[in-house]
Amino acid sequence: MQSTKVLHSVSPSSRAWLARQNSDPYVKKRYMSPTVYRSRSAYKLIEIDDKYKILSNSNVHAVVDLGAAPGGWSQVVAQRLGWDESAKEPPTKLKGYGYGKHRESAIQKHGTWSTPKLVDLKQKESLKRKGKGKSEVAEPDVFDPLNIDTIDVYPNPTVGHGKIVAVDILPMQPIHGVFDFQGDFLKSTTHEQIRQLLSTDPDNPHGKVDVVLSDISPNITGQKMRDTQQSLDVCESVFRFAMGHLRAPEEYNDDLSGVLLVKFFYHQLLQEFCETMLSPRFNDVRIVKPQASRKDSEEAYFLCRGWKGLDDSSMTP
C-alpha cells in the first residue's frame, strides 16, 4: 500500500519514465550483465563495433572518447582493446592495475592505470643500493597523465594494447586501461595535451588518433530549431577535433581506417552537414541507428570510415 502511495505521488512524466525503464531490455541487460556498464549507451557502441569493427581492428592503436563521462563507451573501448577488468588472475609482476578478484584491494594500494600511485622505480632502486629505506621514496597519490617524464617508469600491463583517452569537462571515475582527462576538448590547450599524451607511444610520435568517438547529447530544450542547432554545433566541434587529430591515411593499409563516430539528431541541417563536410573527407559515410537506441528517439550516429586526410586549414583547430 505504501509503494502505491509513493507511485501516485510522482508526476505522470516520471511514471512514464519509470515504466519505460522497467520494460527496456537494455536497462535490464545492463544490470544483469557480469560487466556493469556505467551507461545504457554502452550497448550502442557494442552493436556498432560488432557490425563494423571500428575498434576490433588491428589498425586501432589510439582512441579518443569525447564527452566520455560517466564512461560507458570508454569501458567498451577498453574491453575491445584488451584492457579487460574481468581477467581472472592479475599479471604476476604487474600489481595494482585492478584485475579480477584482486581489483578492490589492488586499487586501494596502487591505484589504476588512469590514476596509479606512481613510484619512480629508478629512484627506488638507487635508494635501495644506498641502503635507504622504502619510506624515503615518495609515492604521489595523484596521477597527472600529462606528466610525461613519469609515465614510462610505471610498467604497462601486457593484456591490452593501444592508448585510450577519455575527455570530459566533468570528473570521471577511473577505468582500467583508460587515461581520463578532465578538460574542454574545444580548447586548443586540451588538443595539445592530448597530443602529448598519445605521443609517449614510440609508434605514434605525432600523437595521432585512429578512432574519434562522441556520444555527446546537447541539452534538449524541446524547441526544435534550438535543439537542432545545438546538435549541429556538437557535430561540427567533434569534426574539427577529428580533422586535427586523425592519423594520415597513408599510414594505413586499407581504405576504411581513420574513423569518426558522432551522435546527432535528425534534421535537414544535419543531413546537409553530412553531405558537405563528412562525405568529401571520408571514403565511407553512413547513418546508423543501433537497436539499443530507443525507437522513439531521433538520435542516430554518423559513422565515417576511411579518413582521406584532406588539407583544410580553415577547419583545423
Side-chain angles (χ1 to χ4, degrees):
M1 181 65 69
Q2 182 65 29
S3 60
T4 303
K5 290 181 179 179
V6 172
L7 184 60
H8 282 295
S9 68
V10 301
S11 66
S13 60
S14 296
R15 286 200 296 271
W17 182 86
L18 288 170
R20 185 181 68 173
Q21 291 294 97
N22 289 333
S23 62
D24 189 322
Y26 291 96
V27 172
K28 295 177 181 178
K29 186 176 182 180
R30 176 189 168 203
Y31 288 108
M32 293 175 65
S33 171
T35 302
V36 180
Y37 294 108
R38 298 181 181 183
S39 62
R40 179 187 178 282
S41 64
Y43 292 103
K44 302 173 189 177
L45 183 57
I46 289 172
E47 186 179 336
I48 293 171
D49 187 52
D50 284 346
K51 184 172 183 178
Y52 297 103
K53 309 300 181 185
I54 61 173
L55 299 171
S56 307
N57 184 320
S58 60
N59 283 329
V60 177
H61 303 285
V63 179
V64 175
D65 182 7
L66 300 176
W73 274 30
S74 291
Q75 284 179 294
V76 175
V77 177
Q79 290 177 332
R80 297 287 161 126
L81 269 60
W83 304 104
D84 193 346
E85 290 189 1
S86 65
K88 293 183 179 180
E89 296 295 336
T92 55
K93 295 183 180 180
L94 302 174
K95 299 179 179 179
Y97 285 94
Y99 281 79
K101 63 184 180 181
H102 301 284
R103 179 176 183 273
E104 291 304 322
S105 60
I107 287 177
Q108 290 178 12
K109 184 176 181 180
H110 302 281
T112 68
W113 185 26
S114 46
T115 54
K117 294 182 179 180
L118 290 174
V119 178
D120 188 326
L121 302 183
K122 296 177 182 178
Q123 179 189 9
K124 183 176 180 179
E125 184 62 28
S126 175
L127 291 173
K128 183 178 180 181
R129 287 196 301 267
K130 295 178 181 179
K132 297 184 178 181
K134 179 180 178 181
S135 61
E136 297 184 47
V137 181
E139 297 189 19
D141 291 331
V142 178
F143 172 54
D144 175 6
L146 300 179
N147 187 350
I148 307 302
D149 292 335
T150 61
I151 286 179
D152 61 352
V153 304
Y154 202 77
N156 288 328
T158 57
V159 177
H161 70 276
K163 284 193 174 182
I164 308 161
V165 180
V167 186
D168 203 293
I169 59 175
L170 299 174
M172 192 174 80
Q173 290 297 314
I175 297 173
H176 178 70
V178 177
F179 286 103
D180 54 274
F181 178 76
Q182 185 176 357
D184 185 351
F185 80 89
L186 297 176
K187 294 183 177 180
S188 58
T189 52
T190 301
H191 291 205
E192 184 57 33
Q193 289 169 323
I194 292 172
R195 287 193 187 97
Q196 291 179 25
L197 176 58
L198 294 175
S199 66
T200 59
D201 182 347
D203 295 326
N204 189 15
H206 301 295
K208 290 298 183 178
V209 183
D210 302 300
V211 179
V212 174
L213 303 173
S214 171
D215 193 35
I216 298 174
S217 291
N219 295 322
I220 301 300
T221 65
Q223 300 177 20
K224 185 67 175 179
M225 285 307 301
R226 182 176 180 181
D227 294 342
T228 298
Q229 185 60 52
Q230 289 191 90
S231 179
L232 179 60
D233 290 344
V234 169
C235 288
E236 289 180 340
S237 298
V238 172
F239 175 57
R240 289 189 182 96
F241 179 93
M243 287 192 67
H245 292 268
L246 284 172
R247 196 185 303 272
E250 54 267 23
E251 296 186 40
Y252 296 115
N253 57 6
D254 64 60
D255 295 329
L256 293 178
S257 293
V259 173
L260 168 64
L261 178 66
V262 56
K263 179 192 285 187
F264 74 98
F265 290 86
Y266 283 113
H267 190 274
Q268 183 60 34
L269 286 176
L270 275 300
Q271 184 62 38
E272 293 174 5
F273 166 76
C274 179
E275 294 172 357
T276 60
M277 305 304 292
L278 300 180
S279 294
R281 294 171 172 83
F282 291 88
N283 291 320
D284 181 73
V285 178
R286 60 186 67 202
I287 294 174
V288 297
K289 185 176 177 65
Q291 291 183 358
S293 181
R294 292 189 173 97
K295 293 181 180 180
D296 60 350
S297 172
E298 294 185 342
E299 74 171 16
Y301 295 86
F302 289 128
L303 173 58
C304 312
R305 299 184 295 172
W307 168 241
K308 294 180 181 179
L310 298 181
D311 182 17
D312 190 339
S313 58
S314 65
M315 291 291 295
T316 304

